[in-house]
Amino acid sequence: MFMFWTRSINVKVCDWLTGSGSSLLKVMRSMNQCLPEKVMTHFLGLSGQVLELERQGSGGTWHVGLIRSGGKLILQPGWSTFVSANNISQNDLLHFKFMGESKFEVQIFDSTGYEKFIEESHKLEINIPAIKEELDDLSQNPRKCVAPYNEVIYQGRYIVLNARQKRRAKQLASEVQAGNPAFVIVIRRSNITSKCNICIPIKFSAEHLPKETRDVVLHRPKKEMMWPVKYYYRKGHQSFEGTLWRKFVQENNLQEGDMCLFEMVKAARQITFVVHISKAIPDNVG
DNA sequence: CGGTATTACGAGCTAACTCG
DNA sequence: CGAGTTAGCTCGTAATACCG
């Protein structure tokens, strides 16, 4: 194994990009989220993507954007959330193990060399405020609800959620990193057929999305592909519509009754959603 | 119970495509 | 190249929930 230390940037590099064994160590001298210059060239290909940072043993996964700015690679957005959720402090040692694609396994050691384990209070749970609120909405608001598997029960124009569907929603929410805004949508016929559009909850768009029509990017966990989608802003209601949304629907084999959780990751001027999908009928695509 | 907010859906216009 | 057809974009509104 080839190793070297660069004093100035406190980085140790092992077997750079020779496969799943590639890794780096970073000493948290500050909460600066820039990738060190001497290693950033190895990750230029990941620029603009959303990295998956998985805490070894905790089962927790965080999505952090990697953007290029001023000749540097910066972990943003989501980095501060990752830091706070994992109780990272100065002089902690972070070990990023490259697992392929855009996935890293992270170990965190304190300044004395002991590994820091995630505390109960920081574990990803359903008590993420924004998500819990959304799930409560799902339970109470028949507009957003659905029945199990492909048996979709419509109440007027809306559909009805049962216990199994609520459990699926909670399972989805557990995949979201604390702090990121998110909303849940249950796929209806009209979302995937004919005009093919999907309404974004007005409360979410008012709080987190721009008041203008623009392009956003959808990203699937554990998948390299990204889908540019048109976000339409209109007074009173906002939506994903059009061919690009249709393409996302088709390539992810979305069916009526499937549940999608849109986790928002905002990077500089680019808005990215990590889309967690719970299939009504499990297939090999999702 | 009535006014307001939110969501779902479809109408209508326009652009792109196809075919003779 | 023009007419007919299809698909996409934008907006309006009906239906329903929410709230005072």
Side-chain angles (χ1 to χ4, degrees):
Chain A
M1 177 183 286
F2 172 71
M3 297 184 188
F4 67 88
W5 284 90
T6 56
R7 257 192 331 191
S8 60
I9 54 175
N10 302 307
V11 171
K12 179 182 182 181
V13 183
C14 317
D15 289 341
W16 273 110
L17 296 179
T18 54
S20 62
S22 302
S23 60
L24 74 88
L25 293 169
K26 180 176 176 61
V27 179
M28 295 297 293
R29 292 299 186 205
S30 69
M31 291 306 162
N32 182 4
Q33 68 272 37
C34 289
L35 257 67
E37 288 176 24
K38 293 202 175 184
V39 302
M40 64 172 273
T41 52
H42 298 284
F43 291 112
L44 286 175
L46 296 177
S47 173
Q49 294 192 33
V50 177
L51 307 184
E52 278 187 57
L53 305 183
E54 186 174 311
R55 273 298 296 275
Q56 200 177 44
S58 74
T61 300
W62 286 261
H63 297 102
V64 178
L66 185 65
I67 60 173
R68 199 171 178 177
S69 176
K72 294 182 175 181
L73 276 183
I74 299 173
L75 286 161
Q76 193 186 61
W79 177 249
S80 58
T81 303
F82 176 78
V83 167
S84 61
N86 288 282
N87 199 25
I88 295 169
S89 50
Q90 280 198 17
N91 295 321
D92 282 356
L93 187 67
L94 275 60
H95 176 220
F96 293 81
K97 186 176 180 184
F98 184 58
M99 305 302 286
E101 298 181 355
S102 56
K103 188 173 178 178
F104 288 82
E105 192 176 83
V106 184
Q107 281 180 281
I108 302 169
F109 302 88
D110 66 20
S111 56
T112 66
Y114 281 97
E115 183 170 5
K116 295 171 77 166
F117 291 98
I118 197 163
E119 296 174 16
E120 280 298 316
S121 60
H122 291 110
K123 280 188 178 179
L124 292 173
E125 294 291 354
I126 199 64
N127 60 3
I128 302 164
I131 302 305
K132 184 175 186 302
E133 198 172 302
E134 180 66 25
L135 292 175
D136 287 344
D137 283 350
L138 274 170
S139 304
Q140 293 159 12
N141 187 352
R143 293 183 186 195
K144 298 178 181 176
C145 300
V146 76
Y149 297 111
N150 58 343
E151 184 193 347
V152 179
I153 300 169
Y154 284 84
Q155 179 182 307
R157 288 163 63 165
Y158 307 115
I159 41 188
V160 182
L161 184 76
N162 72 2
R164 183 196 297 270
Q165 206 67 356
K166 288 175 194 171
R167 282 199 298 275
R168 277 174 49 204
K170 290 185 179 183
Q171 175 61 37
L172 266 185
S174 70
E175 296 173 18
V176 177
Q177 69 184 63
N180 273 359
F183 64 94
V184 179
I185 291 289
V186 176
I187 299 298
R188 307 163 47 78
R189 272 192 293 271
S190 63
N191 297 144
I192 55 176
T193 59
S194 66
K195 295 294 182 180
C196 199
N197 61 10
I198 195 164
C199 289
I200 299 168
I202 197 162
K203 187 179 171 187
F204 181 89
S205 59
E207 289 177 2
H208 304 293
L209 292 170
K211 293 180 170 51
E212 61 182 7
T213 295
R214 60 182 292 178
D215 296 327
V216 302
V217 174
L218 304 184
H219 173 84
R220 289 290 311 282
K222 300 182 178 64
K223 290 182 185 293
E224 284 190 25
M225 281 189 69
M226 301 178 101
W227 292 266
V229 167
K230 202 86 171 176
Y231 158 74
Y232 287 96
Y233 174 83
R234 295 189 281 280
K235 191 179 179 183
H237 60 294
Q238 293 76 43
S239 58
F240 295 141
E241 296 183 26
T243 36
L244 296 171
W245 167 251
R246 189 188 298 264
K247 188 163 184 276
F248 177 81
V249 166
Q250 288 171 347
E251 293 184 0
N252 288 281
N253 194 28
L254 288 184
Q255 305 289 333
E256 184 180 14
D258 290 352
M259 193 175 284
C260 297
L261 189 147
F262 292 81
E263 177 188 359
M264 185 176 170
V265 182
K266 193 175 175 183
R269 305 182 70 179
Q270 177 65 62
I271 296 174
T272 299
F273 285 93
V274 178
V275 187
H276 306 263
I277 298 176
S278 173
K279 302 291 289 182
I281 305 172
D283 61 21
N284 296 327
V285 177

